[in-house]
Amino acid sequence: MTYIAKPKFHHPGLKKNELGYTRRDYEGKISTLCAGCGHDSITASIIEACYELSIEPHRVAKISGIGCSSKTPDYFLGNSHGFNSVHGRMPSVLTGANLANRDLIYLGVSGDGDSASIGFGQFAHSIRRAVNMTYIVENNGVYGLTKGQFSATADRGSKSKKGVTNTDNAIDLVAIALQLGATFVARSFSGDKTQLVPLIAAAIRHKGASFIDVISPCIAFNNHAGSTKSFDYVREHNDAVNRLDVLVGRDPIAVDYAPGTVQVVEQHDGSKVALRKSDADYDPHDRLGAMTFLQKHAAKGQIVTGLLYVDPDAEDLHEHLNTVETPLNTLEADALCPGSAVLDKINASLR
């Protein structure tokens, strides 16, 4: 499949967004993943979200590690910046790029092996440092490239395709992200595009560390009876706390919702997330409440999806470090190296 070029033909009647781009303009190469892979559905949702937000593809930097999930950036936004790092090192590469050029939109795409095992430490530090990014984990609970071993997110008691039972406790990346201070935390399902697209759009609009854990069944090794990451299991045990739409602050948007059914979450940049409530008691602004809610439903074997937490007044790494507004990669030499006198003054201030 890698040698097959995607046709460049565009139907003249394709709908265009505000920038004049069609959805085809946000696509990448032809996927080489297994037919029916949940990762391809996530790719389609990313394409849809970027199209709806009218994002200029060249303003996006997509960064990944190693694994089936980390191949997917090749399948969307073919005209954007991209960097495929080594196993588990995506967060540090993304952090460095973000510090050098704050003007780009950063999409970190990873997997459960990439982020919950070898890259667990890097995942944790990028979240706690509030890097301005959208961090998406395509979570299938197995190592697909090496034939289906359990990953660190596989639930205890779940069974492999060969019938082996997992005896290790699972790492819940959503719970970890909440504990470490992520200011936008969500979970979704690759088979629920209606929920996933606006979640991705909202995460991109959010300034700060946005994390989305997407359950993405591996049809080759983890889509069988006994798996807790299969299509059937997630559909039967999915408890969606909300459904949302993203209202971008551009032209006036008229909405018509029944009284008491919508909660509007305004983010710091003026964009709004409209939540269609399915659980009247759930508050997406309560970090502790979200952590308790997750644990309570996990004990029942339920997978909580939707927008779990958002901080409308979030800050990012650049604000914490008080960096200059100008991207560091565009500063001239005299600004980056102002001379020994300035260095002596800085050193004196630290004594």
Side-chain angles (χ1 to χ4, degrees):
M1 293 292 293
T2 55
Y3 61 86
I4 300 178
K6 180 173 288 188
K8 295 182 179 180
F9 172 76
H10 283 53
H11 190 282
L14 288 178
K15 185 179 178 182
K16 297 181 179 180
N17 61 18
E18 292 183 358
L19 296 178
Y21 293 119
T22 69
R23 286 176 179 81
R24 287 291 306 276
D25 295 317
Y26 293 92
E27 295 178 357
K29 297 179 182 178
I30 293 177
S31 173
T32 61
L33 298 176
C34 302
C37 177
H39 293 1
D40 284 334
S41 297
I42 299 173
T43 291
S45 294
I46 294 173
I47 291 171
E48 182 69 21
C50 292
Y51 166 79
E52 291 182 358
L53 290 176
S54 294
I55 290 174
E56 296 171 301
H58 67 271
R59 291 192 58 236
V60 177
K62 51 186 184 179
I63 300 174
S64 61
I66 295 295
C68 292
S69 59
S70 294
K71 295 172 62 179
T72 61
D74 207 25
Y75 313 142
F76 62 83
L77 294 175
N79 292 319
S80 65
H81 305 279
F83 191 91
N84 184 230
S85 68
V86 296
H87 205 184
R89 303 308 190 262
M90 179 275 288
S92 59
V93 174
L94 188 153
T95 301
N98 180 277
L99 283 171
N101 188 355
R102 62 190 298 168
D103 284 349
L104 295 180
I105 298 169
Y106 289 91
L107 287 178
V109 181
S110 185
D112 39 302
D114 199 46
S115 283
S117 291
I118 191 171
F120 191 42
Q122 296 222 352
F123 158 77
H125 290 299
S126 66
I127 294 295
R128 77 180 186 87
R129 287 173 177 148
V131 180
N132 188 17
M133 62 182 175
T134 297
Y135 194 131
I136 298 174
V137 168
E138 301 178 347
N139 186 353
N140 55 25
V142 298
Y143 289 99
L145 285 181
T146 53
K147 313 307 180 189
Q149 301 93 332
F150 291 118
S151 80
T153 65
D155 293 308
R156 184 173 185 175
S158 62
K159 293 185 178 181
S160 70
K161 189 175 182 179
K162 294 183 179 180
V164 178
T165 300
N166 180 36
T167 58
D168 296 334
N169 291 319
I171 291 176
D172 187 341
L173 290 174
V174 165
I176 298 296
L178 283 167
Q179 183 179 4
L180 291 172
T183 49
F184 182 107
V185 182
R187 173 178 281 141
S188 192
F189 174 46
S190 65
D192 189 353
K193 191 175 181 180
T194 302
Q195 182 191 62
L196 182 55
V197 171
L199 278 176
I200 295 174
I204 292 173
R205 294 280 296 175
H206 180 77
K207 185 178 181 181
S210 299
F211 176 72
I212 307 178
D213 178 41
V214 187
I215 306 300
S216 179
C218 174
I219 62 162
F221 300 108
N222 211 14
N223 193 38
H224 52 271
S227 167
T228 59
K229 298 273 193 300
S230 67
F231 281 105
D232 289 341
Y233 186 91
V234 177
R235 288 190 179 110
E236 292 173 4
H237 296 81
N238 185 359
D239 183 9
V241 296
N242 45 52
R243 295 282 181 170
L244 61 88
D245 295 313
V246 177
L247 310 180
V248 181
R250 293 174 180 161
D251 296 329
I253 299 175
V255 294
D256 184 16
Y257 291 104
T261 62
V262 174
Q263 178 177 354
V264 177
V265 179
E266 183 173 353
Q267 301 193 66
H268 72 286
D269 59 2
S271 63
K272 296 180 175 61
V273 177
L275 301 174
R276 297 197 295 270
K277 299 293 286 184
S278 60
D279 190 323
D281 297 327
Y282 191 80
D283 179 9
H285 298 97
D286 183 356
R287 186 185 298 272
L288 181 60
M291 297 170 71
T292 303
F293 191 87
L294 275 174
Q295 295 298 322
K296 184 186 300 183
H297 284 72
K300 301 176 183 177
Q302 295 177 335
I303 300 170
V304 179
T305 63
L307 177 60
L308 304 177
Y309 176 77
V310 62
D311 180 357
D313 301 314
E315 295 182 344
D316 74 336
L317 180 61
H318 284 279
E319 291 175 285
H320 294 168
L321 296 180
N322 195 29
T323 61
V324 295
E325 292 289 337
T326 305
L328 301 184
N329 67 337
T330 63
L331 292 175
E332 299 294 337
D334 58 345
L336 292 171
C337 302
S340 59
V342 175
L343 179 61
D344 291 340
K345 184 177 180 181
I346 293 174
N347 288 336
S349 70
L350 299 175
R351 292 191 176 93

